[in-house]
Amino acid sequence: GEHGDWVFLGRRAVMTPWPHKVEDGEGSPADVVLETFRTWNWHRGELDARLLVGWICAAMIGGALEWRPLAFLSGDQETGKSSLQRVIKALLGGLLVQSVNTTAAGIYQKVQHDSAPVSVDEFESEADTRAADAVVKLARQAASGVPAASCTSGTASRPVGTPSMRVASGRI
């Protein structure tokens, strides 16, 4: 439906609202998620755990935001990046579009014009960084929601929407 200058495409519901009244503090859904995230060994401790909770909240309404936050999880091998991605998937369910070691074109193909959050695991730096650079560029475009360059088909040209690339993880 239309909302101001924006048109939101309908699709089947992927999440339902929490069925219970939410009280602030201990035991609230956000507190439980925060407690789970505190079990990771974050570089900046509590701050990083809280930022990821905020990212998850923003991911649920991403298409409605003027600026869409990004999250990049980095760390050595066996530090829990993929496990954390599985927790994020459990929280966001069918809303999250997941991919492993992909390209910008692969993300476009999966997401098309949706504003669903995207998760890329095993986003590794290699000697030839062109593919990774293209994914990072796509992520930056997705944060602002600015359409990508035009796509030409025959003589017609149309703007290409930018998918809502949001979280990537890999070794650094």
Side-chain angles (χ1 to χ4, degrees), residues 16-24 27-30:
T16 57
W18 184 253
H20 311 289
K21 182 178 179 186
V22 177
E23 301 291 336
D24 287 340
S28 70

Side-chain angles (χ1 to χ4, degrees), residues 101-125:
N101 195 19
T102 189
T103 63
I107 294 169
Y108 267 119
Q109 203 169 38
K110 268 188 145 176
V111 179
Q112 296 176 4
H113 299 291
D114 203 339
S115 64
V118 175
S119 167
V120 179
D121 200 3
E122 302 302 327
F123 184 68
E124 309 292 337
S125 55

Side-chain angles (χ1 to χ4, degrees), residues 48-119:
D48 289 335
R50 286 182 178 272
L51 287 171
L52 190 56
V53 170
W55 179 87
I56 287 174
C57 294
M60 292 180 186
I61 59 169
L65 299 174
E66 203 168 306
W67 184 265
R68 301 162 186 167
L70 304 170
F72 285 88
L73 311 172
S74 63
D76 292 329
Q77 194 170 357
E78 302 294 321
T79 56
K81 297 177 303 294
S82 294
S83 297
L84 186 55
Q85 291 255 10
R86 284 191 293 277
V87 171
I88 292 168
K89 176 63 176 176
L91 291 167
L92 294 176
L95 181 62
L96 185 68
V97 176
Q98 284 188 302
S99 192
V100 176
N101 195 19
T102 189
T103 63
I107 294 169
Y108 267 119
Q109 203 169 38
K110 268 188 145 176
V111 179
Q112 296 176 4
H113 299 291
D114 203 339
S115 64
V118 175
S119 167

